[in-house]
């Protein structure tokens, strides 16, 4: 008989919700081998440079802590243990748990214990422990993390009048009846069409087909995502999928419009203040919508293809020289060199796109 899937219960909620007591009761009263992990343990391990997780500037630290918690959960689950995770885990920080559940086969549950704000404030005022959170602004901030859970709104449990033993018993019964399950995210939509390079094409056809192949790969890796998802970072890098779209639109403009033909950069790159921000295309992408980024990329690709068509029609083929010299002082670039370099540029960044897309929604594949 196959072993049951490891059950991972993420028990969350604001300070004062009673989650630590309830998590302990769930773990110690479980019928299977169960581990109780508290995120506070991981936060307290940050000996130098700790930022209270409810303050501005804590986002990177919080993401790393959650990654460490997920890694620990993974180790215990692989060893045959169920796990109860006790901590402040909002919907955004639940994403790494969902990705791991998809890959590891966990039975993932998510429960948010959340009394009304006035109850939270009253309970905090009555506390006298050295590590207890009593700052009202912080309490309000943490409570607000659970204002909008979207699809997970049904996972809220009001513990304003709860008794810990009764709450734990109620949750245990609900969990045993498949309650609070976090469904696996829907699979990605079918990938957009991608050019397949011919196996026996001539040099021009082969180079242009491989460039199109990589352009289409980037389109695949960014397809179906909204503006927020395109702005998602994978720590510690600041790179995003939206930034990749805008950066490669700029690269297309630079090599085919400026270097090959000597024309002015395509908009919006012609008006960018590069002296103020050398990475403008990366940093500005978060202000663009998903549709704007895709349109910009497609327009840059179309402009590049038109210039390559015109260069080849002039009769010099791949030996056609551009008009701007290498910054190393070794002469002009041939169209052949530019096409090969563009393939190399896309291949490198599509590797980044693989990792970023998996971090956003778990989608993997070519």
């Amino acid at each position: 008989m196959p072993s049951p899937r490891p059950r991972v219960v993420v028990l969350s909620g604001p300070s004062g919700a009673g989650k630590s007591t309830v998590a302990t009761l769930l773990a110690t009263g479980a019928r299977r081998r169960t581990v109780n992990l508290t995120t506070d343990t991981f936060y307290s391990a940050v000996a130098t440079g700790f930022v209270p997780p409810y303050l501005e500037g804590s986002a990177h630290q919080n993401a790393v802590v959650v990654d460490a918690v997920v890694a620990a959960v993974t180790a215990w689950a692989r060893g045959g243990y169920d796990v109860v995770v006790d901590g402040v885990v909002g919907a955004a920080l639940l994403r790494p748990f969902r990705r791991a559940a998809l890959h590891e086969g966990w039975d993932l549950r998510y429960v948010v214990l959340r009394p009304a704000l006035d109850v939270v404030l009253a309970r905090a005022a009555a506390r006298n422990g050295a590590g207890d959170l009593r700052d009202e602004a912080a309490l309000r901030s943490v409570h607000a993390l659970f204002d909008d859970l979207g699809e997970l709104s049904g996972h809220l449990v009001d513990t304003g009048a709860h008794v810990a033993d009764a709450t734990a018993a109620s949750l245990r019964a609900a969990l045993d009846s498949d309650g609070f399950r976090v469904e696996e995210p829907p699979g990605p939509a079918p990938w957009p069409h991608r050019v397949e390079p011919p196996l026996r094409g001539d040099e021009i056809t082969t180079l242009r087909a491989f460039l199109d192949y990589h352009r289409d790969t980037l389109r695949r890796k960014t397809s179906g995502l909204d503006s927020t998802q395109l702005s998602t970072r994978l720590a510690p890098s600041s790179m995003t999928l939206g930034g990749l779209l805008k950066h490669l639109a700029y690269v297309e403009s630079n090599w085919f419009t400026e270097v090959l033909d000597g024309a002015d950069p395509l908009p919006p790159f012609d008006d960018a203040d590069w002296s103020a921000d050398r990475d403008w295309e990366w940093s500005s992408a978060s202000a663009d919508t998903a549709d704007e980024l895709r349109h910009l990329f497609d327009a840059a690709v179309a402009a590049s293809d038109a210039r390559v068509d015109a260069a080849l029609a002039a009769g010099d083929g791949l030996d056609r020289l551009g008009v701007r010299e290498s910054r190393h002082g070794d002469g002009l670039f041939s169209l052949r060199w530019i096409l090969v370099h563009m393939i190399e540029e896309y291949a490198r960044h599509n590797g980044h796109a693989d990792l970023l897309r998996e971090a956003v929604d778990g989608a993997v594949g070519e």
Side-chain angles (χ1 to χ4, degrees), residues 122-142:
R123 288 177 180 174
R127 289 177 168 181
N128 55 17
D132 290 336
L133 180 62
R134 289 187 291 274
D135 179 78
E136 182 173 333
L139 289 165
R140 289 179 179 275
S141 174
V142 176

Side-chain angles (χ1 to χ4, degrees), residues 32-362:
R32 302 194 307 193
R33 294 184 300 176
T34 302
V35 172
N36 185 15
L37 290 181
T38 64
T39 60
D40 284 350
T41 302
F42 292 79
Y43 279 107
S44 64
V46 183
T48 305
F50 174 76
V51 182
Y54 47 82
L55 292 183
E56 186 176 351
S58 65
H60 171 71
Q61 169 194 272
N62 297 347
V64 173
V65 165
V66 168
D67 285 344
V69 173
V70 170
V73 173
T74 300
W76 285 111
R78 287 178 178 176
Y81 291 83
D82 290 347
V83 183
V84 176
V85 178
D86 158 28
V88 179
V89 180
L93 290 179
L94 187 64
R95 291 172 188 161
F97 289 95
R98 300 185 77 164
R99 290 196 299 268
L102 182 63
H103 289 290
E104 296 288 330
W106 301 343
D107 177 6
L108 180 63
R109 312 295 181 91
Y110 182 56
V111 183
V112 177
L113 306 183
R114 190 186 192 236
L117 179 59
D118 60 343
V119 175
V120 166
L121 296 177
R123 288 177 180 174
R127 289 177 168 181
N128 55 17
D132 290 336
L133 180 62
R134 289 187 291 274
D135 179 78
E136 182 173 333
L139 289 165
R140 289 179 179 275
S141 174
V142 176
H143 192 272
L145 286 175
F146 305 96
D147 280 347
D148 182 11
L149 292 177
E151 61 170 320
L152 299 170
S153 59
H155 294 243
L156 283 168
V157 176
D158 186 348
T159 53
H162 88 118
V163 175
D165 288 334
T167 298
S170 175
L171 289 181
R172 187 178 296 111
L175 292 167
D176 288 343
S177 299
D178 275 350
F180 303 105
R181 185 187 300 278
V182 179
E183 300 297 337
E184 293 182 357
W191 294 117
H193 170 75
R194 180 170 60 182
V195 167
E196 293 293 338
L199 301 183
R200 291 169 294 279
D202 58 33
E203 186 180 12
I204 291 174
T205 301
T206 300
L207 289 176
R208 296 193 73 178
F210 266 101
L211 178 54
D212 283 338
Y213 174 90
H214 279 292
R215 289 163 167 169
D216 287 345
T217 297
L218 182 64
R219 290 185 175 103
R220 285 187 170 201
K221 291 299 176 182
T222 56
S223 69
L225 301 181
D226 60 25
S227 302
T228 299
Q229 291 170 312
L230 289 176
S231 296
T232 299
R233 298 178 178 183
L234 179 59
S237 173
S238 61
M239 191 177 292
T240 66
L241 286 168
L244 278 175
L245 280 170
K246 197 163 188 176
H247 171 68
L248 284 162
Y250 168 69
V251 171
E252 293 271 358
S253 170
N254 178 64
W255 282 104
F256 292 112
T257 299
E258 298 179 67
V259 176
L260 181 64
D261 276 359
D264 291 335
L266 298 175
F269 309 115
D270 53 344
D271 288 332
D273 188 353
W274 298 103
S275 61
D277 185 358
R278 293 178 56 189
D279 295 322
W280 178 83
E281 80 276 28
W282 291 100
S283 57
S284 65
S286 61
D288 299 327
T289 67
D291 286 343
E292 288 170 339
L293 289 169
R294 293 190 179 101
H295 175 75
L296 175 63
F297 177 76
D298 288 341
V301 167
S304 296
D305 283 344
R307 292 185 182 277
V308 173
D309 289 342
L312 292 173
D316 292 332
L318 295 173
D319 294 325
R320 157 72 187 272
L321 297 179
V323 300
R324 293 198 178 179
E325 290 196 8
S326 161
R327 66 176 182 272
H328 303 297
D330 47 3
L332 301 173
F333 298 93
S334 70
L335 177 56
R336 178 185 291 104
W337 191 99
I338 293 173
L339 286 170
V340 172
H341 172 69
M342 289 296 293
I343 293 168
E344 177 267 332
E345 180 87 9
Y346 272 97
R348 176 170 179 257
H349 283 312
N350 279 332
H352 299 142
D354 275 332
L355 299 176
L356 286 165
R357 181 60 189 257
E358 185 173 3
V360 170
D361 66 355

